[in-house]
Amino acid sequence: MSKKYVYLFSEGNANMRELLGGKGANLAEMTNIGLPVPQGFTITTEACTQYYEDGRRVNDEIMSQVMDYVERIELLNDKKFGDLENPLLVSVRSGARASMPGMMDTILNLGLNDEVVASMIKGNPDPKFERFVYDSYRRFIQMYSDVVMEVGKKYFEKLIDEMKAAKGVTFDIELTAEDLKTLAEQFKAEYKNQIGTDFPSDPIVQLKGAIEAVFRSWDNPRANVYRRDNDIPYSWGTAVSVMPMVFGNLNENSGTGVAFTRDPATGEKKLMGEFLTNAQGEDVVAGVRTPMPITQMEEKFPEAFKQFKKVCKILENHYHDMQDMEFTVENGKLYMLQCRNGKRTAQAALKIACDLVDEGMIDEKQAVLMIEPRNLDTLLHPQFDADVLMKTVPLGKGLGASPGAACGKIVFSAEDAKAWNARKEKVVLVRLETSPEDIEGMKAAQGILTVRGGMTSHAAVVARGMGSCCVSGCGDIKMDEENKQFTLAGKTFHEGDYISIDGSTGNIYDGVIPTVDAKIAGEFGRIMSWADKYRRLKVRTNADTPRDARKAVELGAEGIGLTRTEHMFFNADRIAAFREMICSDTVEERVTALAKLEPMQQADFEGIYEAMHGMPVTIRFLDPPLHEFVPTEEEDIKALAKSQKKSVQQIKDIISSLHEFNPMMGHRGCRLAVTYPEIAEMQTRAVIKAAIAVQTRHPEWEIVPEIMIPLTGEVKELKYVKDVVVRTADMIIRHKNSNMKYLVGTMIEIPRAALTADEMAKEAEFFSFGTNDLTQMTFGFSRDDAGKFLSSYYDTKIYENDPFARVDQNGVGKLVDMACRLGRETRPNIHLGVCGEHGGDPSSVEFFHKTGLDYVSCSPFRVPIARLAAAQAAIKDENKKEALMKAFKNSSKTYEEIIEFLK
């Protein structure tokens, strides 16, 4: 029996997301609970996979099943596909298992051709109906040409603009039936001009082309970028839903809309959305016309609105989450076209989760799982200074589509946004309206400002998903994209001028407005307390200064997993002494130079210990190669020569001697301490003296310094440096009559260290995985240079994600897992952590939880993200365990035995 590739909506349910995609599964679920859904079918994600395996073509078996199901929905809807008397027109829509709004393609009004159009008009003499038919036809020709045949929309939009100008009208809706008929003919002529053949008239050919186009869109550039940003695997593929058309553009008694059961910007419990009469769904989301608020739908369609409010309640109670819905009213009758858990801002997500708990709809664990950890970032970044804001008059106002504050130089295209961002320029992207092709430019911009569109426009939805500031629908802007300028409130703004936008209020300001740190409270604290209640992993921070440490503690850090001591040497008052050490000819000279640095290092460490209030602090000894500290400018070289009583040439010779062909794998890390043990001695004295001093001032704290030796790959080099540390530390502790305990551990960042972790653990009392270096050494490419070629690897699907952003679980992850197991075999009480930036990436945190690490460490502002991700990992683990135990309820096996059995 052949594989089943097609399912009627009535054959599916919400649990079939992997097969039917989110859209298909939810259409099936809405059908099952009795909501008004036009009855169609879904082509599975397995068919998408087969499409790519067959060289990007829909094979005969899949197409045969599709046509069989076309016949089934003909019977269900009492219409016939391609028939002249009673034609069935359909929409063809994408739908991956994870929501990807605007990233893939849709085709509406499929099944129209000249004969069907003529027959439909002949059967209904109403001039308004004729206008509707030609409106639908010209939309179909444009959409099919763009999506299926990849003829740019611009050719057709130019023809529309010329027609409107000739007729002296502003909106498409003002064009007559005759105007639209002319446009349809012009569109077909433009199609032939671009493609070289006539526009396809066979509905079956149209349908196959549309299905292939939707499958193809799974691999378009914007979809690939979105998947990388949101951890969506390429292997998932997309499903395709084919459903009968219902027409919001039929007449003035018809319309279309998008709505949310709660405000996606604030989380407030109220129906929020937008609606357009005599329109199709694309008009609402594309921002072609500025829509009316959903509440005005009640005046236009009271019965349909009453039913719609009931549907909203049913769906939210059913899914236990805020719903994002698309719907159409045709001749006063409501049809539901889509529902999904709605995208929302971080602050809305927190409020909705807490409110749903208070309403008894979900429990604390479900609330924790509802929050996208990365979105917390938007709560933790600066907002506009309130005092300055009060004294500043806005130049204009749009819709506050996605909260936050953005300030930057104006750019007018996604390409410019990317280019300016690449050279470290902060920009605000200003557009008439955005389209899915703008995704990379939107990512690069601090914020987005659009002239057209509402709260559910592409710009608004995508910005909210990315956590970017967005102001949409500022119709007062007079745009001149060709000359890269616009006018607002009588002032002309050019490319490169500064502008500030407030995504909460929709206000637009001239120039630069200063920002202040965001304040977090209320629902944030509540969600975080639940996260802390259920997580197993501890969360530390990477902090080099007391200020960073205090901020991290404020955000919930439970210690420091990485203090980089080398950053302290770059201060103006210290770099001279460090360069003196580098240029020394003898051990005695180096010791003298290091003695100048010791009290400075000790003061630094005391500040950090004070900020952490007795929580654990891991201090990494000097790591970078020495060439990073020497001067490069001629004047600085002369000054160093004078202070060292050496010639300029001697200093240049020293600098030259430090040059390495591959410094990241050169004389750095523990290798410096092996060559110059006096550096490790000085740093040990500073660490231990600082700890004893702070412990004396705060006897209620228990300070246990953690000294981390970097870049070890051989147990004998670790032992050599550890012996230096222990000898120096013990001497100071005895001298101070202290009973202080301390730990000496190492960073696992060389593959050999992971492979020999059982030996390393004989000396190391803790491991901290430096996943940045471990990644580059495992892959064999430099993290500083990989960006030059990684894009080619993404395009060819060799890599789906940046391995420096998300831990490579198949390679680097295996090394981490192996090192954990080997280390614990030798030293069962060894504590294990990670201090690379992977410690703040949610998918990586979930992996580290499964691997059994004790803590993750990340930059201060990513601490809440890591806390939430750690809780989600623990809850998912528990849910999986419960599900397995339930599945094996008649078995006497333990959970561990079941896992081993399944392996």
Side-chain angles (χ1 to χ4, degrees):
M1 184 178 174
S2 61
K3 181 181 287 187
K4 184 176 171 65
Y5 286 113
V6 187
Y7 289 77
L8 288 173
F9 294 165
S10 57
E11 294 179 302
N13 60 59
N15 297 321
M16 297 173 69
R17 294 180 69 88
E18 292 186 13
L19 192 64
L20 304 180
K23 184 171 291 176
N26 287 335
L27 285 166
E29 192 72 5
M30 286 196 290
T31 296
N32 293 339
I33 60 178
L35 298 185
V37 177
Q39 287 304 293
F41 59 81
T42 299
I43 306 166
T44 66
T45 55
E46 291 178 346
C48 180
T49 302
Q50 193 63 47
Y51 162 84
Y52 283 102
E53 288 179 2
D54 291 340
R56 295 184 178 237
R57 55 176 289 273
V58 173
N59 68 35
D60 293 343
E61 170 59 30
I62 294 171
M63 203 60 206
S64 173
Q65 290 190 31
V66 167
M67 294 315 299
D68 178 45
Y69 274 78
V70 167
E71 291 181 12
R72 295 193 192 194
I73 67 169
E74 286 176 339
L75 292 171
L76 287 171
N77 294 279
D78 197 25
K79 293 182 179 181
K80 195 163 181 63
F81 194 54
D83 187 57
L84 298 182
E85 299 301 322
N86 189 23
L88 173 67
L89 305 181
V90 298
S91 63
V92 181
R93 301 168 186 262
S94 62
R97 71 172 84 165
S99 178
M100 295 173 60
M103 296 302 115
M104 291 179 291
D105 291 325
T106 293
I107 299 97
L108 305 179
N109 308 308
L110 189 143
L112 286 173
N113 57 33
D114 289 351
E115 291 76 19
V116 170
V117 166
S119 178
M120 288 174 70
I121 293 169
K122 182 181 177 183
N124 189 330
D126 185 349
K128 291 181 180 177
F129 185 77
E130 181 184 9
R131 188 199 178 281
F132 148 71
V133 174
Y134 279 118
D135 182 44
S136 301
Y137 195 26
R138 64 94 186 175
R139 287 171 184 269
F140 171 56
I141 297 167
Q142 179 176 353
M143 193 174 278
Y144 191 92
S145 301
D146 174 35
V147 172
V148 179
M149 304 307 295
E150 299 180 336
V151 177
K153 287 184 290 189
K154 63 183 180 181
Y155 299 107
F156 304 99
E157 287 169 353
K158 183 172 181 286
L159 292 170
I160 294 172
D161 289 342
E162 287 173 354
M163 176 66 77
K164 287 191 292 190
K167 297 296 179 178
V169 299
T170 304
F171 298 109
D172 299 3
I173 199 170
E174 297 172 281
L175 295 172
T176 66
E178 193 61 36
D179 298 334
L180 294 169
K181 179 180 180 181
T182 302
L183 272 179
E185 293 302 320
Q186 290 177 347
F187 282 8
K188 285 189 293 179
E190 185 63 38
Y191 177 95
K192 187 168 186 177
N193 181 48
Q194 295 291 332
I195 300 296
T197 60
D198 289 330
F199 187 82
S201 60
D202 184 344
I204 296 174
V205 171
Q206 294 174 358
L207 180 60
K208 185 176 182 182
I211 293 167
E212 290 183 334
V214 173
F215 283 154
R216 187 173 66 236
S217 71
W218 176 249
D219 193 28
N220 71 38
R222 63 182 185 270
N224 288 330
V225 169
Y226 189 92
R227 278 199 303 277
R228 281 203 300 275
D229 288 348
N230 292 276
D231 281 340
I232 300 172
Y234 177 75
S235 59
W236 281 5
T238 183
V240 179
S241 290
V242 178
M243 60 196 300
M245 284 295 303
V246 284
F247 297 98
N249 63 328
L250 179 61
N251 50 38
E252 288 300 318
N253 196 32
S254 304
T256 188
V258 176
F260 302 86
T261 55
R262 301 181 190 229
D263 190 324
T266 67
E268 184 182 352
K269 188 178 181 180
K270 67 174 184 180
L271 184 60
M272 181 269 181
E274 292 167 330
F275 185 79
L276 273 174
T277 57
N278 204 345
Q280 290 198 331
E282 59 178 317
D283 299 333
V284 179
V285 296
V288 175
R289 287 159 55 194
T290 300
M292 65 181 75
I294 192 73
T295 48
Q296 290 183 23
M297 178 183 164
E298 185 171 17
E299 302 165 18
K300 190 76 179 171
F301 309 113
E303 284 305 312
F305 185 69
K306 183 179 177 182
Q307 185 186 4
F308 180 65
K309 286 201 296 184
K310 286 182 182 176
V311 168
C312 291
K313 188 173 182 180
I314 289 168
L315 286 173
E316 191 168 278
N317 288 339
H318 186 77
Y319 285 102
H320 297 169
D321 199 354
M322 182 264 275
Q323 292 300 294
D324 169 2
M325 301 153 296
E326 293 181 18
F327 63 94
T328 285
V329 174
E330 181 184 285
N331 262 335
K333 181 173 171 55
L334 176 70
Y335 295 91
M336 298 302 299
L337 306 183
Q338 176 172 302
C339 78
R340 61 189 173 197
N341 294 340
K343 297 288 184 184
R344 64 206 74 178
T345 64
Q347 65 193 69
L350 297 175
K351 178 169 174 53
I352 289 169
C354 290
D355 285 352
L356 290 174
V357 170
D358 294 340
E359 293 165 23
M361 208 176 282
I362 61 174
D363 60 25
E364 292 174 358
K365 291 180 182 178
Q366 290 169 310
V368 168
L369 290 173
M370 283 180 73
I371 313 296
E372 169 52 53
R374 285 189 196 87
N375 286 355
L376 293 182
D377 234 0
T378 61
L379 295 175
L380 308 173
H381 288 91
Q383 302 291 315
F384 287 138
D385 185 312
D387 292 335
V388 177
L389 210 57
M390 284 177 63
K391 300 169 189 171
T392 308
V393 179
L395 274 184
K397 186 176 177 68
L399 299 170
S402 185
C407 175
K409 294 180 177 179
I410 293 166
V411 294
F412 290 90
S413 72
E415 291 75 19
D416 286 341
K418 286 169 59 181
W420 289 44
N421 179 64
R423 58 178 192 253
K424 310 299 183 188
E425 299 259 28
K426 292 184 176 181
V427 299
V428 172
L429 178 61
V430 183
R431 304 279 280 145
L432 275 171
E433 71 252 351
T434 62
S435 68
E437 287 79 12
D438 292 328
I439 181 70
E440 291 186 77
M442 294 172 75
K443 275 181 59 187
Q446 301 295 305
I448 301 113
L449 170 62
T450 69
V451 179
R452 301 173 186 157
M455 295 289 281
T456 52
S457 65
H458 175 268
V461 171
V462 173
R464 282 197 293 268
M466 293 192 305
S468 295
C469 168
C470 177
V471 174
S472 64
C474 180
D476 292 336
I477 289 176
K478 301 294 181 279
M479 180 71 87
D480 181 1
E481 286 184 310
E482 188 175 342
N483 294 304
K484 294 189 175 182
Q485 62 184 39
F486 69 83
T487 303
L488 178 62
K491 174 169 179 176
T492 299
F493 290 81
H494 302 87
E495 182 181 61
D497 291 345
Y498 274 101
I499 194 170
S500 299
I501 60 174
D502 188 329
S504 300
T505 64
N507 287 338
I508 302 162
Y509 303 91
D510 186 8
V512 177
I513 296 180
T515 57
V516 294
D517 283 349
K519 292 183 174 67
I520 48 177
E523 287 99 356
F524 178 85
R526 200 173 169 200
I527 292 287
M528 285 295 107
S529 70
W530 294 337
D532 293 341
K533 181 176 173 181
Y534 296 111
R535 67 183 164 89
R536 178 192 63 76
L537 272 174
K538 298 289 185 185
V539 178
R540 298 192 188 184
T541 190
N542 302 338
D544 306 332
T545 67
R547 180 176 178 275
D548 286 348
R550 284 190 292 272
K551 172 54 73 175
V553 170
E554 180 188 320
L555 294 173
E558 299 163 294
I560 291 180
L562 174 64
T563 293
R564 308 171 186 87
T565 54
E566 61 271 5
H567 288 185
M568 303 166 179
F569 296 135
F570 285 103
N571 292 350
D573 59 339
R574 305 168 188 207
I575 192 67
F578 199 81
R579 286 171 176 171
E580 180 184 333
M581 186 274 296
I582 292 172
C583 293
S584 298
D585 295 321
T586 65
V587 173
E588 291 74 21
E589 287 178 359
R590 274 193 297 277
V591 169
T592 300
L594 289 166
K596 297 176 184 177
L597 290 168
E598 184 181 318
M600 299 176 190
Q601 282 253 283
Q602 181 178 333
D604 291 331
F605 297 147
E606 286 189 30
I608 287 173
Y609 283 130
E610 290 277 3
M612 296 310 294
H613 293 260
M615 287 186 273
V617 175
T618 303
I619 295 174
R620 182 183 75 185
F621 277 6
L622 185 66
D623 185 42
L626 297 181
H627 77 85
E628 291 190 12
F629 299 92
V630 295
T632 55
E633 300 295 327
E634 191 70 24
E635 289 304 311
D636 294 334
I637 292 172
K638 288 178 181 177
L640 180 60
K642 184 177 180 181
S643 68
Q644 293 297 109
K645 297 183 174 55
K646 296 181 186 294
S647 70
V648 169
Q649 189 56 49
Q650 284 177 306
I651 296 296
K652 287 184 176 181
D653 290 343
I654 292 170
I655 293 171
S656 178
S657 72
L658 296 173
H659 171 75
E660 294 177 302
F661 288 107
N662 194 342
M664 294 309 292
M665 297 177 73
H667 194 194
R668 54 171 287 225
C670 71
R671 299 158 194 170
L672 291 171
V674 170
T675 309
Y676 307 119
E678 50 273 18
I679 297 176
E681 290 171 356
M682 181 278 286
Q683 292 201 290
T684 303
R685 285 194 297 271
V687 169
I688 300 299
K689 286 180 180 178
I692 292 173
V694 174
Q695 180 74 79
T696 302
R697 292 197 291 271
H698 300 281
E700 71 279 12
W701 297 349
E702 185 180 357
I703 297 177
V704 181
E706 299 178 4
I707 294 171
M708 184 157 67
I709 299 167
L711 210 76
T712 57
E714 161 62 56
V715 68
K716 286 181 280 188
E717 67 181 344
L718 173 58
K719 183 179 188 311
Y720 179 86
V721 180
K722 181 186 176 184
D723 287 347
V724 172
V725 171
V726 169
R727 184 171 62 248
T728 307
D730 288 352
M731 184 174 66
I732 294 167
I733 290 169
R734 283 196 303 272
H735 180 71
K736 297 281 187 179
N737 293 317
S738 172
N739 61 355
M740 176 164 283
K741 300 286 186 282
Y742 62 92
L743 301 174
V744 181
T746 188
M747 281 183 89
I748 304 291
E749 43 195 336
I750 294 177
R752 190 179 190 280
L755 294 167
T756 61
D758 49 345
E759 296 178 23
M760 304 296 279
K762 292 175 183 176
E763 298 297 333
E765 294 169 288
F766 65 87
F767 289 162
S768 182
F769 293 92
T771 51
N772 299 341
D773 271 342
L774 186 58
T775 296
Q776 77 171 346
M777 293 206 183
T778 302
F779 277 92
F781 51 56
S782 163
R783 63 185 176 192
D784 297 319
D785 300 315
K788 296 174 183 175
F789 58 81
L790 277 180
S791 59
S792 299
Y793 278 63
Y794 302 146
D795 292 343
T796 53
K797 308 299 181 296
I798 296 171
Y799 299 151
E800 288 197 29
N801 297 303
D802 179 352
F804 293 109
R806 283 173 203 134
V807 73
D808 159 46
Q809 297 182 21
N810 291 333
V812 176
K814 280 183 181 174
L815 289 173
V816 172
D817 186 59
M818 178 192 300
C820 289
R821 284 187 289 102
L822 292 175
R824 284 190 169 124
E825 285 173 11
T826 300
R827 189 185 292 265
N829 65 340
I830 192 169
H831 73 253
L832 306 168
V834 60
C835 60
E837 271 306 297
H838 291 112
D841 169 63
S843 62
S844 303
V845 170
E846 184 173 357
F847 171 76
F848 297 137
H849 167 87
K850 290 175 183 174
T851 306
L853 297 190
D854 298 304
Y855 69 85
V856 296
S857 188
C858 54
S859 55
F861 282 100
R862 299 186 86 186
V863 165
I865 296 172
R867 289 164 65 194
L868 183 59
Q872 291 179 347
I875 293 168
K876 287 177 188 174
D877 213 23
E878 184 184 334
N879 291 346
K880 179 183 174 185
K881 183 175 181 179
E882 288 176 0
L884 273 177
M885 294 306 291
K886 187 176 179 181
F888 285 79
K889 63 183 177 182
N890 296 325
S891 169
S892 59
K893 294 179 185 292
T894 65
Y895 175 69
E896 288 72 21
E897 287 170 337
I898 291 171
I899 292 294
E900 198 57 41
F901 169 76
L902 291 174
K903 285 180 181 177

